[in-house]
Amino acid sequence: MPLALWALTISAFAVGTTEFVIVGLIPTIAADLGVSLPSAGLLVSVYALGVTIGAPVLTALAGRVPRKTLLLALLALFIAGNAFAAVAPGYDSLLAARFITGLAHGVFFAIASTIATSLVDRSRESSAIALVFLGLTVALVTGVPLGTWIGQLFGWQSAFLGVVVLGMIGLVASVLLVPSDLRQGAAPGLRAQARVLTSPRLLLIYLITAVGYGGNFIAFTYLAPMLTEVTGLGAGAVSLVILLYGASVAVGNILGGKLADRLGAVPALTVIFSGLTVVLLALGLVLTSPVATIVVIAIWGGFAFANVPPLQVYTVQIAREVAPDAIDVASGLNIGAFNLGIALGAWAGGLIVAGLGLGAAPYLGAVAVALGVLLTRLSGRLDRAVSPVPAE
């Protein structure tokens, strides 16, 4: 693989770290800034909202900008957003910094995927994209728990400074290694995206993504305070538990793709969402037991992100039928649906924590994911009624 791909992988590692490191630092930030846990949880929602808005809109508006120039500009914006977060004087400015950083996130992965495929021949395109997204997976396994540990030890600002350093490494590597003569593909316009959004079948998949994937974040956003305030673990142990969760995510992501290849998207999603529902219910039941909680979390991570590959595959399958000229647009909008789900899940989790307490978050998360199961089965029935799509 070209060295330029590793520059993208390093950058993806930085971007992935900053998205989720906030989860482990919510109690620390809430105490330091003098805000409630639900208010601190909005830092997750606002970032995801920035991704949701930035991915389709900025990708379309920047369609004529040379790929390398756009990549470097996005990394510069990403670095600036995290630097702003590190020196933010208060809660409102930290919210603004998270939103700015989220704008760069969504466009980065869209552009990085395009660049990756242009660096290799067609037979290696999937491997090239997988290498880029390896940075995101490694971030969940190592970057997030390490950032959580650093933030708890030296202050939450230090975690963002660490991400700034990672971003600068990715920027320098991209300047040196990514070629300037990248081929410029046709950029999807806002009209093409609007056409995709008029398809009821694609809209249903986006709803499944937002509800089924996002429902997990009702509980995951408040994992750190649940572990410290309900389970009774020390702050240092939280980083280790998040590391365990990240390792489980990495395994589940691979198995989710294999399950979709073997069973089809709808059956795979039914299994994964059903399993996630059961695990969230189990988490609520055992949350006061440290050993049982850690065991459940080790399983939880595998189900939590295993739905990503089949959801993306399912989107492409339906887009080939209803919008064959806008498959990339449809796939990109599903990335937006993932992040919309994160934003809504974190926001709903805040309301639940404020009204019912931390112990209620896993149960309400299970209810949301169970709704995702029902929507998935409904979509499968529509597929069979309309045409024989290879999703069942």
Side-chain angles (χ1 to χ4, degrees):
M1 288 292 178
L3 287 175
L5 284 175
W6 290 102
L8 298 176
T9 304
I10 293 169
S11 301
F13 175 78
V15 174
T17 298
T18 202
E19 179 176 20
F20 292 118
V21 73
I22 198 78
V23 169
L25 298 175
I26 282 178
T28 306
I29 292 174
D32 188 59
L33 297 181
V35 299
S36 66
L37 287 175
S39 294
L42 286 177
L43 294 168
V44 177
S45 296
V46 166
Y47 185 96
L49 191 61
V51 179
T52 304
I53 294 172
V57 175
L58 295 185
T59 300
L61 294 178
R64 297 183 182 277
V65 179
R67 300 298 88 180
K68 182 174 181 178
T69 301
L70 180 57
L71 173 68
L72 298 181
L74 291 169
L75 289 174
L77 178 61
F78 171 80
I79 292 169
N82 280 286
F84 182 22
V87 299
Y91 174 71
D92 291 338
S93 54
L94 184 55
L95 279 176
R98 291 289 291 172
F99 181 78
I100 291 169
T101 312
L103 289 174
H105 176 122
V107 192
F108 167 80
F109 279 105
I111 297 305
S113 298
T114 302
I115 293 175
T117 56
S118 69
L119 294 172
V120 298
D121 55 53
R122 284 188 175 275
S123 64
R124 300 165 70 190
E125 285 183 347
S126 296
S127 297
I129 293 176
L131 184 59
V132 173
F133 278 86
L134 175 65
L136 186 60
T137 302
V138 174
L140 282 166
V141 178
T142 60
V144 172
L146 180 61
T148 300
W149 177 75
I150 291 173
Q152 291 171 341
L153 196 62
F154 301 106
W156 58 266
Q157 295 91 341
S158 61
F160 289 110
L161 287 175
V163 175
V164 168
V165 173
L166 290 173
M168 292 179 70
I169 294 172
L171 177 62
V172 172
S174 297
V175 169
L176 297 177
L177 299 176
V178 176
S180 299
D181 57 343
L182 296 166
R183 63 175 182 259
Q184 192 85 1
L190 292 175
R191 285 187 177 181
Q193 297 179 43
R195 284 198 300 271
V196 170
L197 285 172
T198 60
S199 167
R201 293 172 72 198
L202 283 173
L203 286 175
L204 180 55
I205 297 176
Y206 299 151
L207 181 60
I208 293 169
T209 298
V211 172
Y213 177 80
N216 178 66
F217 282 81
I218 294 175
F220 179 63
T221 301
Y222 296 95
L223 175 59
M226 282 193 297
L227 292 174
T228 55
E229 297 184 23
V230 181
T231 309
L233 297 181
V238 172
S239 298
L240 296 176
V241 175
I242 292 177
L243 173 62
L244 180 64
Y245 181 93
S248 180
V249 165
V251 174
N253 200 32
I254 295 171
L255 294 180
K258 292 183 178 297
L259 191 65
D261 288 339
R262 176 172 296 184
L263 302 180
V266 169
L269 287 170
T270 302
V271 171
I272 293 166
F273 284 146
S274 298
L276 182 55
T277 300
V278 172
V279 170
L280 286 171
L281 289 173
L283 180 65
L285 292 172
V286 305
L287 201 52
T288 55
S289 169
V291 174
T293 296
I294 292 171
V295 171
V296 171
I297 288 174
I299 302 170
W300 179 18
F303 282 102
F305 287 78
N307 52 51
V308 175
L311 282 168
Q312 280 296 93
V313 168
Y314 193 26
T315 301
V316 171
Q317 288 174 347
I318 299 302
R320 284 174 181 156
E321 282 206 343
V322 302
D325 58 338
I327 294 175
D328 290 343
V329 174
S331 181
L333 286 173
N334 200 44
I335 299 296
F338 279 116
N339 285 278
L340 180 61
I342 294 173
L344 293 175
W347 171 75
L351 296 179
I352 291 162
V353 168
L356 301 175
L358 287 164
Y363 294 114
L364 274 296
V367 172
V369 177
L371 178 58
V373 176
L374 297 178
L375 291 172
T376 299
R377 299 312 303 171
L378 172 62
S379 186
R381 288 188 178 185
L382 291 176
D383 292 341
R384 290 192 296 271
V386 174
S387 60
V389 178
E392 279 284 9

